[in-house]
Each structure stands twice: as C-alpha cells, then as structure tokens.
C-alpha cells in the first residue's frame, strides 16, 4: 500500500472532497479488477480504495493529516491537548494498542509515553498471584457495500489473535465505523478472571458504482436524451437488487431521484434512501436515420442549454 494517500490518488493535500472523489472515480474505472486484468491493477485498486476511504471521511482525514501512518491507532475521542502534553507529534509511534482491564474501549498511547510502564505499578499493586482480566482487542472487518446491505454469517481469521477463527453474525445495514462485539473473544485472562472482548470495526470498501453517506446510497443512472426529455421508467441496480425509477420529463444530468428506504437497512429505525443521479448519455455513433432525426430536432428546436 502507498505510504501517502494523497500521492496514491494523485491529489494535493489541499484537495477538496469533490476533487478527491473525482480522482478516485477516474482511477477506479481504470483499475477495477472487473475491467482490468493486469496483475498489478488489483493491488493498485486496493491502494486507491484505502486512500479514498480515509480522505473522503472528514474525521479520518483530519487524523491522517495529524498523525500520518499511525492515525488508525489514535482513539476517535482523542484529546489534542492531552496528546500535545504527552510530547506527541505527527508520525508518532503508538506503543500499546490494547485496552487494559477496566478501561473499556481502545486505550492507545502516544509518542514518548509507554502505557505499560505507566500502568505496570497498578497491576503489580494488585498482587502477582491474583487473577487479571483479559484485555479488549480490536480488529478491522472489511465489507463490500453489498455485504453491509444484506449482512449474514461470515467466518474469518485474525492473524493478530494467534490465527484464531471466528464465526461472525453481521447484522444487515452495518455502517462504516460500527463496532461488532464478540464477547469473551479478546485477550486471555489469568486465574478465574473473564477474558476480554474482541471488537470488529466495520470498514466499508469504496465501490465503483455506489457512494455512501451514512445509510444513504447514491448511484449514477445513465439515461438516453429522449428518456431525459420525455420521461421514462427505467431500471436501476441497488445493493438489494433491481428496482424501477421514474425519470421526470425534462431531467438533466445531475438531477437526483430519491427512492425512499432503498438505502442501507436499519434494524433499529429508519432505513437509508437511495438517490439515482441522472447522467444523460448520447450515442457514440449515429445511424443514418438517427442522424436525420437529430438534425431535424436541431433545426426546429429553439432550446439553448447555455442560456437557461
């Protein structure tokens, strides 16, 4: 993977979200394994997908800009003042990445601060022979948009946990950043103490067709000039399958058609929506009769798209 996400996408560090999105989509169309059989294309696609996933998320991008390659080890609720006071700086190394007993979620350290040294006295004060609860652990779970939509059961192995295998029930409609708890599957305990928990942090991979915003999904909808002008009912593919959408007469490129409840499902509330974004497409080559009809239209129409 590239060490610099901006270089991977070919954008400047000051690039806007739209510029980052355009750069990713341009590269994804060329490098996606479905359209590029070059052996290096798949690895390059993974590289730009990881870069886009981070830089398109304002919070993740902020942490990446601040901490560099170690940004994933910094807790989401980190306090910048505490970090600065601990002698931290961009690119600092994290020395401890597991939550200690009694500390709940991830407890990451900062450059120059050895958490084990700080907490060693605490554990020793409890007595070397007493039971010690297992540490909570975290691992990332990469899912496609389709997998996040439908959920299901999945078997996975995690190298950092001693190559242990897990059967995971993924709820339908999980979102990026959501944590799935596997009780008792974290660090081992001593004595009769309880083992820690394993938390799987969901990371939804960028998709060449779908764009996610929370539970809402946006997908491009190619339509012909006559469908856009006259209106039509056309099929659109969603993660849940094909549905029909009504293109309103007079639709131009960029118009968003909302399909309520067709986004990511939500078992605890309202499902997301799907937005079909109109893209008016013209034939690359015209037959003789098609050209005659377009020429006739051009002759009789007073429509000027540059003056609307």
């Amino acid at each position: 993977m590239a060490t610099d996400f901006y270089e991977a996408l070919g954008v400047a560090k000051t690039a806007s979200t739209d510029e980052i999105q355009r750069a990713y989509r341009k590269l994804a169309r060329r490098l996606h394994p479905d359209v590029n059989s070059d052996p290096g294309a798949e690895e390059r696609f993974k590289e730009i997908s990881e870069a886009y996933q981070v830089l398109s998320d304002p919070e993740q991008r902020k942490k990446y800009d601040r901490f560099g390659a170690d940004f994933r080890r910094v807790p989401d609720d980190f306090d910048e003042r505490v970090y600065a006071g601990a002698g931290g700086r961009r690119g600092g190394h994290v020395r401890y990445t597991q939550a200690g007993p009694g500390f709940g979620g991830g407890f990451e350290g900062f450059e120059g601060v050895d958490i084990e040294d700080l907490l060693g006295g605490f554990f020793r004060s409890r007595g070397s022979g007493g039971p010690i609860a297992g540490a909570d652990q975290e691992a990332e779970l990469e899912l496609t948009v389709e997998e996040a939509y439908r959920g299901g059961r999945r078997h996975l192995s995690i190298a950092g946990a001693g190559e242990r295998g897990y059967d995971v029930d993924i709820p339908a409609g999980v979102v990026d950043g959501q944590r799935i708890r596997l009780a008792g599957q974290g660090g081992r305990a001593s004595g009769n103490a309880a083992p820690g928990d394993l938390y799987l942090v969901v990371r939804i991979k960028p998709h060449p067709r779908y764009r996610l915003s929370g539970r809402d999904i946006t997908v491009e909808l190619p339509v012909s000039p006559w469908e856009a002008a006259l209106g039509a009912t056309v099929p659109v593919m969603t993660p849940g399958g094909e549905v029909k959408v009504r293109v309103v007469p007079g639709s131009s490129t960029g118009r968003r058609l909302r399909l309520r409840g067709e986004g990511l499902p939500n078992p605890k509330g309202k499902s997301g929506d799907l937005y079909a974004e109109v893209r008016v497409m013209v034939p690359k080559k015209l037959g003789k009769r098609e050209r005659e009809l377009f020429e006739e239209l051009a002759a009789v129409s007073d429509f000027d798209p540059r003056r609307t």
Side-chain angles (χ1 to χ4, degrees):
M1 294 296 178
T3 55
D4 189 294
F5 291 157
Y6 292 100
E7 289 183 5
L9 293 176
V11 298
K13 287 182 168 59
T14 55
S16 67
T17 301
D18 286 343
E19 289 173 326
I20 289 171
Q21 183 182 94
R22 286 197 295 271
Y24 166 73
R25 292 174 67 185
K26 180 179 179 180
L27 290 169
R29 291 192 190 100
R30 178 165 55 87
L31 297 170
H32 195 278
D34 289 346
V35 298
N36 193 328
S37 59
D38 187 279
E42 183 174 1
E43 190 63 28
R44 181 80 175 97
F45 179 73
K46 291 179 180 179
E47 181 180 278
I48 65 167
S49 295
E50 181 186 19
Y52 175 71
Q53 181 183 56
V54 172
L55 299 184
S56 63
D57 183 312
E59 292 302 319
Q60 292 293 313
R61 182 179 181 180
K62 179 181 178 182
K63 286 205 297 183
Y64 176 73
D65 288 344
R66 180 68 178 86
F67 301 104
D70 285 331
F71 77 103
R72 284 197 176 96
R73 299 188 177 191
V74 180
D76 291 336
D77 58 351
F78 81 97
D79 189 324
E80 184 78 23
R81 294 168 300 175
V82 173
Y83 182 90
R89 62 178 183 271
R90 177 174 176 151
H93 299 289
V94 179
R95 300 190 181 184
Y96 193 75
T97 60
Q98 291 183 351
F103 287 91
F107 188 88
E108 280 78 19
F110 307 107
E111 167 114 22
V113 179
D114 192 323
I115 301 300
E116 291 181 291
D117 286 346
L118 291 178
L119 299 183
F122 171 77
F123 292 123
R124 286 192 292 272
S125 69
R126 292 190 167 193
S128 59
I132 299 177
D136 288 345
Q137 298 175 331
E138 275 193 0
E140 289 192 350
L141 174 61
E142 274 199 338
L143 300 175
T144 64
V145 174
E146 292 87 351
E147 289 172 328
Y149 181 91
R150 63 176 178 264
R153 193 167 182 81
R154 180 167 166 182
H155 181 82
L156 59 110
S157 299
I158 301 177
E163 293 292 345
R164 293 160 64 186
Y166 304 90
D167 289 315
V168 183
D169 288 316
I170 302 170
V174 292
V175 296
D176 193 79
Q178 183 172 333
R179 304 206 311 169
I180 299 174
R181 178 180 176 235
L182 302 183
Q185 298 299 315
R188 293 184 174 87
S190 68
N192 296 322
D197 297 332
L198 174 63
Y199 290 91
L200 300 178
V201 182
V202 173
R203 296 300 177 200
I204 300 180
K205 295 185 286 188
H207 197 282
R209 180 183 299 118
Y210 305 120
R211 305 194 306 273
L212 294 184
S213 177
R215 295 186 184 277
D216 292 339
I217 301 173
T218 298
V219 60
E220 288 189 1
L221 179 64
V223 299
S224 65
W226 44 94
E227 288 172 332
L230 303 176
T233 299
V234 299
V236 59
M237 184 58 66
T238 77
E242 186 179 280
V243 298
K244 300 289 186 179
V245 61
R246 174 66 180 169
V247 178
V248 180
S251 293
S252 296
T253 291
R255 184 164 193 167
R256 285 158 59 88
L257 308 174
R258 182 181 183 185
L259 285 74
R260 294 181 184 274
E262 294 293 341
L264 290 180
N266 184 358
K268 297 183 179 179
K270 182 182 176 183
S271 297
D273 298 327
L274 184 135
Y275 293 90
E277 197 169 272
V278 172
R279 288 288 181 269
V280 180
M281 310 294 289
V282 299
K284 290 184 177 180
K285 293 183 178 180
L286 295 174
K288 180 179 178 181
R289 181 57 179 155
E290 288 175 318
R291 179 172 294 278
E292 290 173 351
L293 290 172
F294 272 108
E295 289 174 346
E296 182 179 345
L297 176 62
V300 301
S301 177
D302 59 0
F303 174 66
D304 185 348
R306 291 163 294 281
R307 297 178 61 183
T308 56

